[in-house]
Amino acid sequence: MAQDKYKFVFTANEAASEGVTEPIRLPKLIRKAMSLARGQISKYKIGAVGRASSGRVYLGVNVDFPGLPLHHSIHPEQFLVTNLALNFEKGLRQLAVAISNDCIEFGAPCGNCRQFLMETSNEVDIKILLKSKHEAEGSFGKLKLLLPYRFSPDDVLPKGSPLLLEKRDNCLILSRSAGEICSSDCSHLKCKALAAANNSFSPYTDSPSGVALRDEDGILYRGWYIESVAYSPSLGPVQAALVDFVARSRGKGFDKIVEAVLVEKNNARVSQEGMAKMILDTIAAPNCDFKVFHCDVDFQKSILVNSDR
């Protein structure tokens, strides 16, 4: 159906109607995922299909940014997990990643994405579909077996620390110079970006940040910084917001983005301003209005939130 052409999230019943009646059938949606990929630089269209703890099925795609080096691109596994986070899913159960253009072979994520997946709250339960071109269905293997000598959040964070895909509130408030914020359902970009920053996963550098975007039709998108213990697989807030844009904009080009706001902590150890500006200057509308606001921790609220854990 035409209205489903840009669909990235499927309910269990919708996935079943596409042939995904059980996890081993996730590849039934892989061609749909690959058709949505934005591999303008690499020329490869790579797709991933994952099943969340809720039973919903998500698509992941590679996203390149014309004019920028490939190391700024988003891998399909990163896209999928970020979209899980943006939709407040609690976990990822199974994942299938196509490693051939004919959608016959399915393999392990690259090392970068294996490490990224390690940040999720249920990483020990994630299963990856492994299938050669000689197999009819393939089989699932556990993520932890693909990283036998892994460097994981458990090696750094205190026991019981909330991980990616777990509920969090960074208790941030805008600095006085940024002015007041409105209710969470307002349409002000700085308020949306602050809300995104409060969901940001940055336990290693304590540098939460969020980005909100507006396109020429007035539609809002948001995303937040997702950090990796290995650092290099981390995904910046503007890339995360662009995941939301790709997933919900129904095929619009990045040049339709006309306004953007970044919210980050005062004196953050890791500032996102330079990277966000560089990406948006390259791909967004020529007259895209980019603003940066700073925030601080509301310590009174932080004490209340932490006491409830």
Side-chain angles (χ1 to χ4, degrees), residues 67-202:
L68 292 174
L70 278 172
H71 64 261
H72 295 302
S73 298
I74 303 170
H75 294 203
E77 299 93 328
Q78 287 179 308
F79 186 106
L80 191 148
V81 171
T82 300
N83 207 17
L84 289 178
L86 294 176
N87 284 279
F88 301 104
E89 291 284 358
K90 296 181 178 180
L92 174 65
R93 294 302 182 196
Q94 295 91 16
L95 178 66
V97 185
I99 59 172
S100 63
N101 288 331
D102 56 13
C103 304
I104 293 177
E105 295 181 85
F106 291 80
C110 69
N112 186 83
C113 290
R114 295 181 208 186
Q115 190 69 57
F116 191 77
L117 289 165
M118 289 296 299
E119 302 298 332
T120 59
S121 55
N122 70 319
E123 53 87 12
V124 296
D125 300 320
I126 297 175
K127 295 179 180 179
I128 310 295
L129 179 64
L130 303 173
K131 177 186 174 298
S132 74
K133 60 184 178 181
H134 304 295
E135 297 177 283
E137 291 187 337
S139 60
F140 284 101
K142 290 188 175 181
L143 171 65
K144 64 180 181 180
L145 298 179
L146 300 176
L147 281 171
Y149 303 104
R150 56 194 175 276
F151 180 44
S152 73
D154 293 338
D155 296 318
V156 177
L157 299 177
K159 186 176 181 180
S161 297
L163 297 177
L164 182 60
L165 302 185
E166 290 186 298
K167 184 178 179 181
R168 64 192 311 104
D169 183 349
N170 292 315
C171 303
L172 302 172
I173 54 174
L174 287 176
S175 302
R176 290 183 179 180
S177 60
E180 297 182 359
I181 64 166
C182 311
S183 60
S184 60
D185 59 350
C186 79
S187 59
H188 296 139
L189 282 193
K190 69 177 181 180
C191 303
K192 296 296 185 183
L194 177 66
N198 271 314
N199 286 307
S200 178
F201 179 71
S202 178

Side-chain angles (χ1 to χ4, degrees), residues 1-292:
M1 297 174 62
Q3 62 266 32
D4 294 331
K5 180 179 179 181
Y6 298 105
K7 194 174 185 66
F8 279 85
V9 184
F10 296 77
T11 66
N13 287 337
E14 288 171 339
S17 70
E18 298 281 350
V20 184
T21 54
E22 54 183 327
I24 201 70
R25 306 294 180 196
L26 286 174
K28 293 286 187 180
L29 279 169
I30 200 67
R31 290 190 184 277
K32 186 178 286 288
M34 293 175 74
S35 72
L36 295 168
R38 299 198 183 193
Q40 295 100 323
I41 301 175
S42 61
K43 302 302 181 184
Y44 289 104
K45 291 195 171 185
I46 308 171
V49 184
R51 179 175 169 269
S53 302
S54 65
R56 286 189 285 266
V57 174
Y58 287 73
L59 306 186
V61 299
N62 64 315
V63 180
D64 296 338
F65 302 116
L68 292 174
L70 278 172
H71 64 261
H72 295 302
S73 298
I74 303 170
H75 294 203
E77 299 93 328
Q78 287 179 308
F79 186 106
L80 191 148
V81 171
T82 300
N83 207 17
L84 289 178
L86 294 176
N87 284 279
F88 301 104
E89 291 284 358
K90 296 181 178 180
L92 174 65
R93 294 302 182 196
Q94 295 91 16
L95 178 66
V97 185
I99 59 172
S100 63
N101 288 331
D102 56 13
C103 304
I104 293 177
E105 295 181 85
F106 291 80
C110 69
N112 186 83
C113 290
R114 295 181 208 186
Q115 190 69 57
F116 191 77
L117 289 165
M118 289 296 299
E119 302 298 332
T120 59
S121 55
N122 70 319
E123 53 87 12
V124 296
D125 300 320
I126 297 175
K127 295 179 180 179
I128 310 295
L129 179 64
L130 303 173
K131 177 186 174 298
S132 74
K133 60 184 178 181
H134 304 295
E135 297 177 283
E137 291 187 337
S139 60
F140 284 101
K142 290 188 175 181
L143 171 65
K144 64 180 181 180
L145 298 179
L146 300 176
L147 281 171
Y149 303 104
R150 56 194 175 276
F151 180 44
S152 73
D154 293 338
D155 296 318
V156 177
L157 299 177
K159 186 176 181 180
S161 297
L163 297 177
L164 182 60
L165 302 185
E166 290 186 298
K167 184 178 179 181
R168 64 192 311 104
D169 183 349
N170 292 315
C171 303
L172 302 172
I173 54 174
L174 287 176
S175 302
R176 290 183 179 180
S177 60
E180 297 182 359
I181 64 166
C182 311
S183 60
S184 60
D185 59 350
C186 79
S187 59
H188 296 139
L189 282 193
K190 69 177 181 180
C191 303
K192 296 296 185 183
L194 177 66
N198 271 314
N199 286 307
S200 178
F201 179 71
S202 178
Y204 310 110
T205 67
D206 189 28
S207 302
S209 56
V211 163
L213 308 172
R214 193 193 311 273
D215 69 19
E216 62 182 12
D217 297 317
I219 301 174
L220 305 181
Y221 311 89
R222 85 284 188 244
W224 47 83
Y225 181 40
I226 299 177
E227 203 166 60
S228 165
V229 66
Y231 193 67
S232 59
S234 302
L235 195 72
V238 70
Q239 287 102 322
L242 290 168
V243 167
D244 196 30
F245 178 83
V246 171
R248 297 196 298 111
S249 69
R250 302 193 62 77
K252 290 179 184 175
F254 298 127
D255 61 347
K256 305 304 181 185
I257 298 169
V258 297
E259 192 176 355
V261 167
L262 164 69
V263 169
E264 62 180 5
K265 285 180 71 174
N266 274 307
N267 303 312
R269 293 189 181 98
V270 178
S271 174
Q272 302 289 340
E273 182 176 350
M275 180 65 69
K277 186 176 188 307
M278 181 188 70
I279 293 175
L280 292 168
D281 281 350
T282 304
I283 68 170
N287 59 342
C288 180
D289 182 22
F290 175 57
K291 291 186 174 70
V292 180

